[in-house]
């Protein structure tokens, strides 16, 4: 028998190009299902989504653009099925034959053939049924993706029953944060701050209308984006042509008659129009044509504001002023319910005002004002019991109580009519699941998307931003920057609470990427402290203590103990368990570490927290990463199970790293074992601190000196901590292969730090200073030849002034002048020794070298003149006398004819 399978084709028709951002949150659903259906009204981007899915498919693709009225045989032939097998799939009567159904989404493999059928609504009913049936066939039949407009009799339920993925208009709508990313991509310009939400609200997130808005902005840049949105003319022609005109006349008239209502219900529409079939009309417009959007209660419907503006323009043309005024009166009397924000309201409300006082109280850790204990409510209109359970659940979660999820679930069960409590509870439930799973666990990305979108539709913008923060933990690159975007947005809006939560989400994103950063954690803790959120501050300080301990900061043990004390006083046992874990990571003593670990597990168990969860977070926070977030190399520590692996005593006795060369005179050079460094990866302050230590190589530099040089001498806990972080980043950058505590280049001695010089290492400053000391000692001991050799060696090392690239930085000027004086003194001392040994030419050379370093050294001029006279160099002597006189004149000193020898 001839095979029923179609021929393998790369494409039947070219996959259409699409101008849009990546929508991985939608296309990834098609990789886990046997078939997919994209159903939405015109302009929602169905074809663009199908095209993205087709391009991502690794196997052959057949793209079929439906032709109006095509029958099953024509469809099968076009898709490449053998013509003589059409009768086996379609009976003589035209009925679809029964074929095996797919049993799982994985059948056929990802490299199987993909068939895309766009605009299926144009096919005949029998061909539509066949297209759906093709998506239900078992492998090796192709995977099938279908795009269609809503239509009567569309077999959506049948496809869902066969495990197909159905993407509807609500899923396709662009969210405000997606629009903000999309505009620079497509139109080369950014949206004005605060306009994304009203733009999405006015257009319903419809891709085609958003594109028209972008074109209108590009065509008339002189007109403000707010004015273009308020006018609304950019999308009316499209909506008239593509949305309203194709509707049956009775539905179009019904929409026009009811367009004065902001919220459409069967009762309100019946009171306004007298139509007894209002409920059926609303259902058909929402579910069969996709023109209206159903609210979560299933009884209320809304139309996009721009579409409603088109309908109102129709109504104004069809009625007289008297009839229009009467209809407006009836609509105002029977509308009821919540009113939409007008499309002209293009400014977001300040986020801070949206936060409920009980939620602020629970975040601040003040349980005496929790709902349920003082009778407070989340909202005046909300359910007191559900709100109380929710806030109590949040309080339990923040304290680290493992039973918080049960309380949140009870709040959700009670919140049948309170959308705020319901959405907040859903978000809290997701957050608890994410935190319990840790960085290795799954992130419920689709649910977060839905919560963020529903909150935005209900004008709960602060809640939407909170949900968006967690999108950055998901797998899609288009949302990776959401925590940082939300943080900037909250700062601009003055939403301090939202900014604090966004800062914590930025920290979570870094942990999820395996790069926990000290600077980000410090920023989050600072924001919590400014808001008085003691509970979250306790968690932040505990997490920060783990990261600091993992990066071997000198005061890590002390700061972990402080975090534990803070969590204990704040009454947050979960944070206390994490802080005790940080103490275990920080301690170098194995016995003490084991005892602290057991104390951490015991504290977690008493708080009803799973010990496995605490272990996973300790592991994630203690992962080797860049401590300062400046791109420095990783420390290369080895970890197991989140516990600190202390270097053995023998490893601490290992010889220092050989082959270090440090040059600071005449320029800066720092090489280790012949390996140069990419200084662009190190922050400027850290580079400058390294140069200061290099100038004092081999010497201990007290931290007060470093604070004066780089932190204005202010010794606060913050500046001391910044110093420790900078030192830690230097160690990681210079010795990435060394284990924790194993740095041999930068050592700590009490409150001082030292750049270690091992035998064979080279430091030009150290060698210069040593030679100068040797020369002075030998000269004092009446050993002129040894002194001359030492001074000559010192001058060989003095290749120029100290660190000329640092300019007049205060920390380098004093050392630069000191070394310059010592070099000039060594040169004139060498000249005097050679003159006393009756070696005038060598004396003149040394004197000239001194004058190159310090042209105002009087003794050098005198030695130079005497050496030239002794050598019989008359011209050089005259030139030296002239130069000496000019130098004196420049200082306002009259020349002297007497030149006694300075010795």
């Amino acid at each position: 028998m001839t095979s029923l399978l179609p021929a393998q084709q790369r494409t039947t028709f070219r996959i259409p190009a699409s101008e849009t951002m990546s929508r991985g949150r939608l296309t990834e659903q098609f990789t886990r299902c046997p078939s997919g259906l994209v159903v939405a009204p015109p302009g929602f981007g169905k074809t663009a989504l199908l095209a993205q899915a087709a391009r991502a498919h690794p196997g052959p693709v057949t793209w079929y653009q439906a032709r109006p009225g095509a029958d099953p045989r024509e469809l099968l032939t076009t898709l490449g099925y053998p013509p003589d097998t059409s009768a086996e799939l379609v009976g003589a009567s035209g009925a679809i034959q029964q074929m095996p159904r797919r049993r799982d989404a994985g059948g056929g493999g990802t490299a199987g053939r993909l068939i895309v059928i766009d605009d299926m609504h144009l096919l005949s009913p029998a061909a539509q049924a066949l297209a759906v049936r093709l998506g239900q066939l078992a492998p090796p039949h192709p995977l099938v993706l279908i795009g269609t407009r809503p239509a009567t009799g569309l077999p959506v339920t049948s496809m869902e029953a066969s495990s197909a993925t159905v993407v509807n208009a609500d899923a396709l709508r662009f969210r405000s944060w997606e629009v903000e990313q999309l505009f620079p991509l497509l139109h080369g310009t950014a949206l004005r701050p605060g306009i994304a939400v009203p733009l999405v609200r006015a257009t319903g997130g419809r891709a085609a209308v958003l594109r028209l808005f972008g074109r209108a902005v590009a065509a008339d840049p002189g007109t403000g984006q707010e004015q273009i949105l308020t006018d609304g003319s950019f999308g009316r022609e499209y909506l008239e042509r593509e949305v309203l005109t194709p509707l049956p006349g009775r539905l179009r008239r019904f929409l026009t008659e009811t367009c004065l209502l902001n919220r459409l219900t069967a009762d309100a529409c019946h009171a306004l129009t007298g139509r007894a079939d209002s409920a059926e009309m609303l259902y058909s417009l929402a579910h069969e044509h996709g023109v209206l959007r159903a609210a979560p209660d299933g009884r209320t419907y809304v139309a996009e504001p721009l579409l409603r503006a088109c309908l109102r323009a129709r109504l104004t043309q069809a009625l007289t002023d008297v009839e229009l005024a009467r209809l407006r009166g009836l609509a105002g009397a029977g509308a009821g319910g919540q009113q939409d924000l007008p499309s002209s309201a293009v400014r977001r409300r300040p986020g801070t005002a949206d936060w409920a006082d009980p939620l602020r109280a629970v975040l601040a850790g003040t349980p005496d004002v929790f709902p349920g204990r003082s009778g407070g409510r989340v909202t005046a209109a909300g359910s007191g019991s559900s709100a109380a359970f929710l806030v109590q659940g949040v309080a339990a979660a923040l304290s680290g109580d493992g039973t918080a999820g049960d309380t949140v679930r009870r709040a959700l069960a009670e919140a049948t009519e309170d959308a705020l409590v319901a959405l907040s509870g859903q978000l809290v439930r997701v957050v608890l699941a994410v935190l319990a799973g840790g960085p290795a666990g799954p992130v419920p990305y689709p649910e977060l998307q839905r919560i963020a979108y529903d909150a935005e539709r209900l004008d709960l913008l602060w809640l939407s931003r909170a949900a968006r923060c967690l999108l950055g933990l998901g797998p899609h690159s288009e949302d990776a920057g959401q925590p940082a975007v939300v943080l900037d947005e909250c700062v601009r809006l003055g939403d301090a609470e939202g900014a604090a939560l966004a800062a914590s989400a930025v920290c979570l994103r870094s942990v999820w990427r395996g790069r926990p950063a000290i600077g980000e954690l410090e920023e989050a803790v600072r924001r919590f402290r400014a808001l008085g959120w003691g509970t979250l501050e306790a968690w932040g300080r505990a997490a920060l203590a783990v990261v600091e301990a993992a990066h071997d900061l000198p005061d890590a043990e002390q700061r972990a103990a402080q975090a534990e004390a803070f969590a204990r006083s704040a009454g947050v046992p979960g944070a206390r368990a994490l802080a005790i874990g940080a103490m275990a990571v920080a301690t170098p003593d194995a016995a003490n570490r084991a005892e602290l670990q057991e104390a951490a597990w015991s504290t977690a168990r008493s708080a009803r927290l799973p010990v496995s969860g605490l272990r996973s977070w300790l592991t994630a926070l203690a992962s080797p990463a860049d401590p300062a977030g400046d791109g420095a190399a990783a420390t290369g520590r080895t970890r197991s199970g989140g516990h600190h692996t202390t270097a053995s005593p023998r490893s601490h006795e290992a010889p220092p790293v050989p082959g270090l060369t440090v040059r600071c005179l005449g320029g800066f050079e720092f090489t280790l074992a012949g390996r140069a460094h990419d200084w662009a990866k190190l922050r400027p302050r850290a580079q400058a601190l390294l140069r200061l230590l290099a100038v004092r190589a081999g010497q201990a530099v007290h931290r007060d000196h470093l604070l004066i040089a780089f932190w204005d001498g202010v010794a606060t806990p913050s500046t001391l901590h910044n110093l420790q972080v900078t030192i830690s980043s230097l160690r990681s950058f210079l010795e990435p292969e060394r284990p924790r505590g194993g740095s041999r280049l930068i050592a700590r001695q009490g409150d001082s730090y030292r750049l270690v010089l091992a035998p064979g290492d080279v430091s030009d400053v150290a060698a210069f200073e040593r030679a100068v000391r040797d020369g002075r000692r030998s000269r004092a001991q009446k050993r002129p030849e040894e002194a001359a050799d030492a001074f000559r060696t010192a001058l060989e090392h003095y290749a120029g002034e100290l660190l000329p690239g640092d300019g007049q930085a205060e920390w380098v000027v004093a050392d630069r002048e000191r070394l310059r004086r010592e070099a000039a003194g060594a040169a004139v001392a060498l000249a005097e020794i050679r003159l006393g040994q009756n070696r005038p030419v060598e004396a003149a050379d040394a004197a000239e070298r001194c004058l190159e370093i310090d042209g105002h050294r009087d003794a050098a001029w005198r030695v130079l003149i005497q050496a030239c006279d002794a050598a019989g160099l008359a011209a050089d002597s005259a030139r030296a006398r002239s130069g000496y006189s000019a130098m004196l004149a420049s200082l306002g000193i009259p020349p002297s004819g007497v030149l006694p020898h300075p010795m």
Side-chain angles (χ1 to χ4, degrees):
M1 182 180 68
T2 304
S3 172
L4 300 180
L5 296 177
Q8 292 293 309
Q9 303 173 42
R10 174 55 55 179
T11 55
T12 300
F13 299 103
R14 184 183 300 276
I15 300 173
S18 61
E19 281 188 340
T20 187
M21 65 182 291
S22 171
R23 310 202 74 181
R25 67 180 176 86
L26 298 177
T27 55
E28 73 160 2
Q29 301 179 50
F30 298 137
T31 63
R32 303 191 301 266
C33 67
S35 61
L37 175 68
V38 183
V39 52
F44 275 86
K46 300 184 296 297
T47 300
L49 181 66
L50 293 172
Q52 286 190 18
R55 289 192 180 89
H57 185 70
V61 177
T62 296
W63 184 282
Y64 172 60
Q65 182 66 47
R67 189 183 67 82
D71 60 22
R73 295 181 186 277
E74 179 180 334
L75 174 64
L76 289 172
T77 302
T78 307
L79 293 180
Y81 281 83
D84 57 347
T85 62
S86 298
E88 299 183 47
L89 288 175
V90 184
S93 62
I96 306 300
Q97 300 297 304
Q98 293 297 316
M99 298 295 294
R101 293 192 175 203
R102 296 179 187 267
R103 294 192 175 184
D104 56 62
T110 57
R113 183 180 171 199
L114 171 67
I115 290 178
V116 181
I117 302 175
D118 197 15
D119 287 337
M120 186 186 72
H121 58 278
L122 298 177
L123 301 175
S124 67
Q128 291 184 25
L130 175 61
V132 172
R133 192 74 185 98
L134 290 175
Q136 299 172 335
L137 296 178
H141 282 274
L143 306 173
V144 177
L145 293 183
I146 297 172
T148 181
R149 295 184 183 182
T152 304
L154 191 67
V156 176
T157 305
S158 173
M159 293 200 69
E160 290 177 328
S162 62
S163 301
T165 293
V166 177
V167 175
N168 58 21
D170 272 346
L172 283 170
R173 295 179 197 276
F174 277 91
R175 281 64 168 142
S176 64
W177 56 94
E178 293 176 328
V179 171
E180 288 178 339
Q181 298 177 53
L182 181 66
F183 256 71
L185 178 67
L186 296 187
H187 307 293
T189 183
L191 284 174
R192 295 286 299 276
I195 199 176
V197 170
L199 174 61
V200 169
R201 185 176 289 127
T203 61
R206 194 185 293 250
V209 184
L210 290 171
R211 186 175 290 109
L212 291 172
F213 176 79
R215 291 176 181 173
V217 170
D220 190 7
T223 303
Q225 295 178 6
E226 294 89 346
Q227 182 59 40
I228 293 174
L229 176 58
T230 302
D231 177 66
S233 59
F234 61 90
R236 287 175 188 162
E237 181 181 350
Y238 176 86
L239 294 173
E240 281 276 358
R241 182 182 69 252
E242 298 293 335
V243 178
L244 295 179
T245 301
L247 285 176
R250 62 187 184 88
L251 293 178
R252 190 166 55 249
R253 287 191 298 271
F254 177 81
L255 269 180
T256 305
E257 293 169 355
T258 59
C259 66
L260 296 177
L261 296 172
N262 290 330
R263 293 283 192 263
L264 301 173
T265 64
D267 291 340
C269 292
H270 178 264
L272 186 64
T273 65
R275 297 187 63 103
D277 59 350
S278 294
E280 291 78 5
M281 290 281 196
L282 292 172
Y283 184 88
S284 177
L285 285 166
H287 299 286
E288 295 178 354
H289 297 277
V291 177
L292 299 179
R293 191 170 67 224
D297 61 11
R299 301 187 300 270
T300 306
Y301 301 85
V302 293
E304 301 159 14
L306 278 182
L307 180 61
R308 208 162 57 229
C310 294
L311 293 168
R312 288 175 178 175
R314 281 174 170 250
L315 189 66
T316 302
Q317 295 173 358
L319 300 179
T320 65
D321 292 343
V322 174
E323 292 172 329
L324 189 59
R326 182 186 65 82
L327 199 59
R328 283 176 175 162
L330 290 173
Q338 181 182 357
Q339 298 297 309
D340 281 343
L341 290 177
S343 60
S344 60
V346 295
R347 295 184 182 274
R348 292 182 183 176
R349 297 177 298 160
T352 303
D354 292 336
W355 284 78
D357 289 336
L359 289 178
R360 287 195 181 99
V362 73
L363 290 170
T366 52
D368 54 317
V369 294
F370 286 170
R373 302 182 188 180
S374 63
R377 298 163 65 105
V378 173
T379 62
S383 167
S385 60
S386 63
F389 286 134
L390 174 60
V391 177
Q392 289 170 10
V394 173
L398 290 176
S399 69
D401 190 337
T403 64
D406 297 334
T407 309
V408 173
R409 282 190 290 273
R410 186 174 179 184
L412 287 172
E414 295 282 345
T416 55
E417 300 292 337
D418 194 326
L420 170 58
V421 175
L423 279 177
S424 301
Q426 292 165 18
L427 179 59
V428 171
R429 182 182 61 191
V430 169
V431 171
L432 291 178
V434 169
L435 295 180
V443 176
Y445 185 84
E447 188 170 0
L448 283 172
Q449 279 275 356
R450 181 189 56 77
I451 294 171
Y453 181 51
D454 288 347
E456 186 173 271
R457 283 201 300 125
L458 295 174
D459 205 33
L460 302 172
L461 302 185
W462 63 272
L463 183 59
S464 178
R465 289 194 290 269
R468 286 168 52 197
C469 284
L470 295 179
L471 292 177
L473 306 182
H476 303 301
S477 59
E478 59 262 33
D479 288 320
Q482 275 301 308
V485 170
V486 173
L487 176 57
D488 292 342
E489 188 176 329
C490 290
V491 170
R492 174 172 54 82
L493 294 171
D495 181 2
E497 289 96 341
L501 293 181
S504 62
V506 170
C507 297
L508 286 178
R509 170 71 181 168
S510 297
V511 175
W512 250 251
R513 295 171 59 202
R515 299 181 58 194
I518 288 178
E520 293 174 354
L521 283 164
E522 287 178 327
E523 174 66 12
V525 170
R526 183 189 66 78
R527 291 183 181 276
F528 295 151
R529 185 181 302 118
L531 289 168
W533 287 4
T535 305
L536 285 178
E537 183 182 352
W539 282 104
R541 291 178 64 154
L544 179 59
V546 177
V547 180
E548 290 172 339
H551 290 93
D552 194 28
L553 296 191
D555 295 336
E557 288 187 70
Q558 178 183 354
R559 292 177 69 83
Q562 292 172 347
E564 186 276 333
F566 186 91
R568 181 166 16 95
S569 64
V572 189
R576 185 181 175 215
L578 186 61
I580 296 174
M583 295 168 65
V585 174
T587 182
D589 183 76
N592 190 29
R593 182 167 63 252
E595 184 178 345
L596 287 169
Q597 286 174 354
E598 183 54 40
W601 312 151
S602 176
T603 304
R605 284 191 289 266
S606 66
R608 289 174 287 191
L609 280 175
V611 173
S612 59
L614 179 60
R615 282 198 182 102
S616 68
W617 277 103
L618 280 170
T619 301
L621 289 167
S623 63
D626 173 15
D630 60 0
T635 60
R637 286 181 304 280
T638 300
R639 300 211 158 261
S640 176
H643 311 314
H644 167 53
T645 304
T646 306
S648 66
R650 181 169 299 186
S651 68
H652 285 279
E653 296 170 2
V657 178
L660 174 65
T661 301
V662 183
R663 301 192 186 281
C664 301
L665 296 169
F668 182 67
E669 177 187 344
F670 191 103
T671 58
L672 182 60
R675 183 180 74 248
H677 295 82
D678 183 3
W679 300 109
K681 293 183 177 180
L682 196 63
R683 286 182 174 176
R685 178 176 286 177
Q687 295 182 39
L689 192 148
L690 175 63
R691 290 195 295 272
L692 190 154
L693 293 177
V695 170
R696 308 287 181 87
Q699 306 175 35
V701 182
H702 197 276
R703 70 182 186 186
D704 289 345
H705 185 77
L706 299 176
L707 292 173
I708 291 172
F710 303 110
W711 284 276
D712 299 326
V714 181
T716 65
S718 176
T719 55
L720 289 174
H721 183 55
N722 288 338
L723 170 60
Q724 294 162 3
V725 170
T726 303
I727 293 292
S728 179
S729 68
L730 275 175
R731 287 169 169 163
S732 300
F733 176 76
L734 296 175
E735 299 176 281
E737 72 286 350
R738 285 275 170 175
R740 175 181 179 267
S743 175
R744 307 311 302 167
L745 281 179
I746 300 178
R748 185 181 182 187
Q749 298 174 330
D751 290 335
S752 300
Y753 297 92
R754 176 170 59 94
L755 181 64
V756 178
L757 289 179
D761 290 349
V762 175
S763 166
D764 59 350
V765 173
F768 167 79
E769 292 181 320
R770 184 168 54 250
V772 170
R773 288 194 302 270
D774 292 344
R776 289 172 178 170
R777 184 185 307 111
S778 297
R779 193 177 189 191
Q781 295 172 353
K782 307 300 184 181
R783 291 181 292 170
E785 193 59 37
E786 293 181 14
D789 289 342
F791 287 136
R792 186 177 63 253
T793 299
L795 292 175
E796 289 173 354
H797 284 297
Y798 192 81
E801 68 176 15
L802 181 69
L803 297 176
D806 284 271
Q808 297 302 309
E810 292 184 9
W811 62 269
V812 75
V813 169
D815 283 330
R816 181 184 294 157
E817 180 61 22
R818 174 180 61 82
L819 294 176
R820 187 182 68 83
R821 289 197 304 268
E822 290 184 357
V828 76
L830 176 61
E832 291 168 350
I833 291 172
R834 292 309 186 200
L835 186 61
Q837 295 174 333
N838 198 25
R839 295 161 69 173
V841 175
E842 294 180 30
D845 290 342
E848 288 183 341
R849 177 70 193 280
C850 173
L851 293 175
E852 291 175 359
I853 299 170
D854 182 1
H856 295 87
R857 183 65 67 108
D858 188 89
W861 285 108
R862 292 171 181 264
V863 172
L864 177 61
I865 292 172
Q866 292 183 16
C868 289
D869 289 344
L873 302 174
D876 290 337
S877 176
R879 188 163 50 250
R881 291 173 185 276
S882 176
Y884 184 38
S885 298
M887 184 273 293
L888 293 175
S890 69
L891 297 177
I893 301 175
S896 172
V898 180
L899 295 173
H901 196 281
M903 298 300 293

